[in-house]
Amino acid sequence: MSDLKYPNPFIVERADPYVLKGPDGYYYFTASYPMYGGDDKNGYDRIILRRSETIDGLADAEEKVSALSLQLSKMRQEASKELTKAIRDGLLDLNFLDVQFVIAFTELDTFSAIGKDEVEFYIRTNLGEDEKPLSKIASGGEMSRIMLAIKSVLADVDKIPVIIFDEIDTGISGNAAVSCGEKIKQIAKSHQVICVTHLASIAAKGDYNYF
């Protein structure tokens, strides 16, 4: 083999009889490669050209994906304003009187199938507390009611077939419990809902009750 090597095997014409793969993973031109004679004198230039075309193509694709990701991010952030308000209103109905709900966006370093955004829900349920990621909420009943508020807003587009609400009535009664039952009934129009409750005002909204 000659000492002429090329470190990008994915663009080398693999079927070329004058190109062999060495033990180090590089592809080498054999000593008999007709680089300077006959019809193949531009073979090496052809490979370099393919490398250039590949790099240019990747750069163009990255530029297009970046522009689309930016456009998608702007659309998400604009839509999040309405979504944030709707979820907060739903939480107020469920007796979260001092609630603050935030949708946070973080730009990732790499692209994914859904763009460059990492989206996370933050919530504060009591005055004086900091907003925390929704995943850090400890109370099961509290989490169930938060998810109820979110699911009631997203019921028409959420494709999850079965939803379970456990101890969803913890800490509520009266009008808040009635509102809770109405939201569950709304979600049940497009999903199967299983709810564990101790309140008659919620149980009364179910199609079937088990004791």
Side-chain angles (χ1 to χ4, degrees):
M1 293 184 180
S2 72
D3 59 358
L4 180 60
K5 64 181 181 179
Y6 190 70
N8 289 280
F10 65 90
I11 61 163
V12 173
E13 295 180 359
R14 304 286 180 84
D16 195 323
Y18 299 105
V19 178
L20 296 175
K21 185 177 181 179
D24 56 1
Y26 287 94
Y27 279 73
Y28 291 82
F29 296 106
T30 63
S32 58
Y33 195 88
M35 292 177 59
Y36 302 108
D39 295 334
D40 291 328
K41 68 178 182 178
N42 295 320
Y44 180 74
D45 293 336
R46 181 176 70 251
I47 292 175
I48 296 301
L49 176 61
R50 291 183 63 193
R51 175 181 184 274
S52 176
E53 291 173 345
T54 300
I55 292 175
D56 290 344
L58 288 173
D60 290 342
E62 183 174 1
E63 184 177 346
K64 292 176 182 178
V65 171
S66 181
L68 289 172
S69 295
L70 179 60
Q71 181 181 353
L72 180 59
S73 181
K74 290 180 178 178
M75 293 171 63
R76 282 185 177 133
Q77 293 185 45
E78 185 62 32
S80 72
K81 298 175 183 177
E82 182 178 352
L83 179 60
T84 298
K85 183 181 184 305
I87 292 174
R88 185 175 185 277
D89 289 344
L91 290 167
L92 289 171
D93 291 340
L94 297 174
N95 209 37
F96 287 97
L97 301 182
D98 298 309
V99 70
Q100 183 68 28
F101 187 83
V102 176
I103 301 178
F105 293 83
T106 303
E107 183 178 350
L108 301 176
D109 294 330
T110 58
F111 299 106
S112 72
I114 57 173
K116 292 187 72 175
D117 288 328
E118 182 177 74
V119 183
E120 190 166 15
F121 292 166
Y122 281 74
I123 192 168
R124 184 204 70 199
T125 55
N126 298 299
L127 284 175
E129 295 180 350
D130 294 328
E131 284 117 9
K132 296 179 291 187
L134 184 57
S135 59
K136 303 297 184 182
I137 297 296
S139 167
E142 194 173 61
M143 175 63 86
S144 288
R145 281 188 288 140
I146 293 169
M147 292 309 299
L148 174 58
I150 295 173
K151 293 293 185 182
S152 64
V153 173
L154 302 176
D156 292 337
V157 296
D158 193 343
K159 302 303 181 184
I160 297 176
V162 180
I163 301 174
I164 300 175
F165 294 113
D166 183 22
E167 302 290 344
I168 199 167
D169 50 21
T170 302
I172 63 170
S173 60
N175 290 334
V178 173
S179 178
C180 183
E182 290 173 348
K183 290 183 184 299
I184 292 174
K185 188 69 173 178
Q186 175 189 343
I187 294 173
K189 293 178 180 179
S190 53
H191 304 73
Q192 181 181 359
V193 176
I194 299 172
C195 178
V196 179
T197 181
H198 302 282
L199 297 180
S201 54
I202 295 178
K205 300 293 183 181
D207 295 309
Y208 301 95
N209 288 275
Y210 301 91
F211 301 91

